[in-house]
Amino acid sequence: MSNLASTPGAPEHGAEGLHTAIERLDELVRTLRTECPWDREQTHTSLRRYLLEETYEALEALDARTGGDGDAEALDRDLCEELGDLLYQVWFQAHLASERGAFSIVDVAQGVRDKLIARHPHVYGDVVAPDADAVRANWDVIKLQEKGRDSVMDGIPQTLPALLRAVKVQKRAAAAGLDADDRPRGPFMETEGALAELRADPNEHTLGELLLAAVELGRRIKVDPEDALRAATERAEGRYRTQEADRG
């Protein structure tokens, strides 16, 4: 078992420790904002790149930790640090908003708490959700009602990377009962059909249909295509590095 809990800032410090840590972080953000020349210059826009960078660094640390390669305690420390950096960016953005009188970190925390309670009626209400698929379906329906949207496709960011957006679109469609699970050919045949069309007429459209069919196949067999592609890319990178080393 990790000794991380015995180090400063480790988890399981109780409510008092949680409140103290939060208060100290808030005090730090306020102090840096007033006394640090760099922090004083920052805006919501100027901080965008750091929010993005810290998000990717947190994901990298998370992947390393879940991959299980290396010293577990060191990987946990790295993940803890990166999550802290990400938390700081969220706190800083909220503080900038509080300076404008828009909202504060308290509103951010309360807002997400209220939203999650409303979207978990199977936990906080009398709705029955026997599995994760039912939870996701309920989530999308509730979100649609909350936002007053006309379509389950509304609200999917156009700026998402293409693969992630394809996954999001297909999951939304499935949750709303709009997917093609009842198509007689099935997911493997759909992918094979798209590949045949690409062979017959290789162009952007047919390649796109093949990629979309592959994403749908991943959803049907419960394999995240983003994770699968990342792992395959890492394997390919390893092979190329080996080839380079062999060439001397």
Side-chain angles (χ1 to χ4, degrees):
M1 182 175 180
S2 171
N3 293 323
L4 185 65
S6 64
T7 62
E12 305 304 333
H13 285 301
E16 183 177 350
L18 175 63
H19 294 160
T20 299
I22 289 175
E23 289 172 357
R24 287 177 175 174
L25 177 58
D26 189 60
E27 180 183 1
L28 174 71
V29 171
R30 294 174 184 275
T31 299
L32 293 180
R33 180 63 170 166
T34 57
E35 298 184 15
C36 174
W38 185 88
D39 285 77
R40 283 200 300 267
E41 293 179 357
Q42 301 313 305
T43 66
H44 286 299
T45 301
S46 69
L47 289 172
R48 289 180 76 255
R49 57 169 291 190
Y50 302 106
L51 179 60
L52 184 61
E53 287 174 4
E54 298 300 353
T55 299
Y56 278 116
E57 289 178 8
L59 288 173
E60 185 173 357
L62 182 62
D63 287 343
R65 183 60 187 89
T66 55
D69 295 329
D71 181 78
E73 291 188 18
L75 293 173
D76 278 334
R77 285 194 295 270
D78 290 343
L79 178 58
C80 182
E81 178 182 351
E82 296 303 340
L83 291 176
D85 292 341
L86 183 57
L87 176 61
Y88 178 77
Q89 290 300 317
V90 173
W91 214 285
F92 201 167
Q93 289 281 358
H95 184 70
L96 294 183
S98 71
E99 292 178 343
R100 298 186 286 106
F103 59 85
S104 70
I105 191 66
V106 174
D107 298 309
V108 172
Q110 186 62 50
V112 71
R113 179 182 182 275
D114 292 344
K115 179 172 68 176
L116 289 174
I117 288 176
R119 293 188 186 177
H120 287 77
H122 53 288
V123 176
Y124 297 100
D126 55 5
V127 172
V128 177
D131 53 37
D133 289 337
V135 172
R136 282 190 290 267
N138 287 339
W139 178 285
D140 287 333
V141 170
I142 294 169
K143 187 173 182 179
L144 193 66
Q145 295 170 346
E146 286 177 352
K147 303 290 186 180
R149 292 170 175 166
D150 297 322
S151 169
V152 293
M153 296 294 117
D154 291 344
I156 300 176
Q158 296 283 343
T159 53
L160 279 177
L163 180 59
L164 292 179
R165 190 162 186 271
V167 172
K168 192 79 170 178
V169 166
Q170 291 182 350
K171 284 185 175 180
R172 289 273 190 95
L178 303 175
D179 63 321
D181 279 337
D182 58 347
R183 285 183 296 188
R185 291 197 295 175
F188 288 96
M189 290 298 293
E190 291 296 331
T191 306
E192 292 167 2
L195 178 59
E197 292 177 4
L198 177 63
R199 286 196 181 106
D201 185 14
N203 57 55
E204 180 180 306
H205 175 81
T206 52
L207 177 59
E209 291 299 314
L210 174 61
L211 294 173
L212 192 63
V215 171
E216 173 71 2
L217 174 59
R219 186 186 70 80
R220 302 275 196 92
I221 64 175
K222 299 187 184 303
V223 172
D224 187 290
E226 177 75 14
D227 292 341
L229 180 58
R230 183 185 296 112
T233 301
E234 290 176 356
R235 291 194 297 271
E237 181 182 355
R239 290 195 300 271
Y240 299 145
R241 289 180 182 275
T242 300
Q243 291 175 11
E244 284 181 323
D246 291 342
R247 290 176 180 176

